[in-house]
Amino acid sequence: MAKRLLVMGAGGHGRAVADLAAECGWTVAGFTDRVTGASILGRDEDLTALAAAGAMDAAVVGVGNAALDRRAALFQLLKASGIVVATLVHPRAVLSRSCRLGEGVVVFAGGVLGSSVEVGDNAVVYSGVIAEHDGRIGAHAYLSPGVVLCGGVTIEAGAFLGARATVLPNLTVGKEAEVAAGAVVISDVPAGETVMGVPARPRGGR
Ligand SMILES: CC(C)(COP(=O)(O)OP(=O)(O)OC[C@H]1O[C@@H](n2cnc3c(N)ncnc32)[C@H](O)[C@@H]1OP(=O)(O)O)[C@@H](O)C(=O)NCCC(=O)NCCS
């Protein structure tokens, strides 16, 4: 029998994670959220009680980029509860045998992770992302659809990269930095900075 998965967050990203989980052979037991509604088994804080009641076999964070600050907090809540954290890789993603994924990582359809890429806990690798060889993707980082990381790129914890952003080889995008959709990063991005454009410049500095 398929194992039952709880998804924390019932918004658009949470439902995308639920679809991904089904593709990976899980049965989606339901969601937790800050709101109530169909398929919502409880609030996020009810996690431990739901696990004690046998509502699921594992859980995963399904909160997307609309609440980036909550993603790490929910992951910590999951870890503290002792519940198994699922890692989901779409059957049509392509991963080098030498890449390493942390707990709770989700890789959507068409994601390509090259040789020796390391992906930290709870990171999101959306559809069509290409992360080339030797990349380091930090915990809780969020790579939107079509992001391209050239070889040797480091994305630090909690950074956000918008759709089709590109990062040139061996650069670093700092902790909790933000790269706008379509930007081409040609130099390191400091922690907490927002950059946009081609070539990418700090917000307000264009
Ligand atoms: C970077 C980003 C987060 C900024 O959002 P925001 O704070 O709401 O910014 P605004 O829409 O108010 O725009 C602020 C300025 O930046 C410009 N801008 C916004 N996004 C831009 C982009 N991707 N590239 C270039 N310029 C951009 C706007 O034109 C505006 O310029 P102005 O001040 O000269 O008028 C957002 O634009 C973005 O790129 N988000 C990524 C979305 C995405 O890929 N989601 C995928 C989810 S799966």
Side-chain angles (χ1 to χ4, degrees), residues 8-167:
M8 302 187 75
H13 179 67
R15 284 180 277 112
V17 169
D19 281 4
L20 169 63
E23 291 289 336
C24 295
W26 291 84
T27 293
V28 177
F31 301 84
T32 58
D33 211 315
R34 288 186 284 198
V35 296
T36 56
S39 306
I40 298 180
L41 304 180
R43 300 178 76 82
D44 298 326
E45 296 71 23
D46 299 331
L47 191 66
T48 312
L50 287 166
M56 77 302 226
D57 302 302
V60 68
V61 175
V63 168
N65 68 309
L68 282 174
D69 51 335
R70 278 174 55 75
R71 293 185 38 73
L74 286 179
F75 183 78
Q76 302 311 340
L77 186 66
L78 254 182
K79 290 296 292 174
S81 70
I83 295 166
V84 173
V85 183
T87 296
L88 305 174
V89 178
H90 194 281
R92 284 179 295 287
V94 181
L95 273 59
S96 160
R97 66 188 62 188
S98 58
C99 77
R100 297 280 173 267
L101 305 184
E103 288 183 283
V105 169
V106 292
V107 183
F108 286 86
V112 178
L113 300 179
S115 175
S116 301
V117 167
E118 292 182 7
V119 186
D121 292 343
N122 197 35
V124 174
V125 178
Y126 242 107
S127 328
V129 167
I130 298 174
E132 261 312 333
H133 62 88
D134 302 306
R136 300 280 176 273
I137 299 166
H140 320 297
Y142 193 103
L143 307 185
S144 300
V147 161
V148 175
L149 307 181
C150 297
V153 163
T154 297
I155 306 296
E156 293 185 345
F160 168 80
L161 280 76
R164 288 203 175 276
T166 297
V167 184

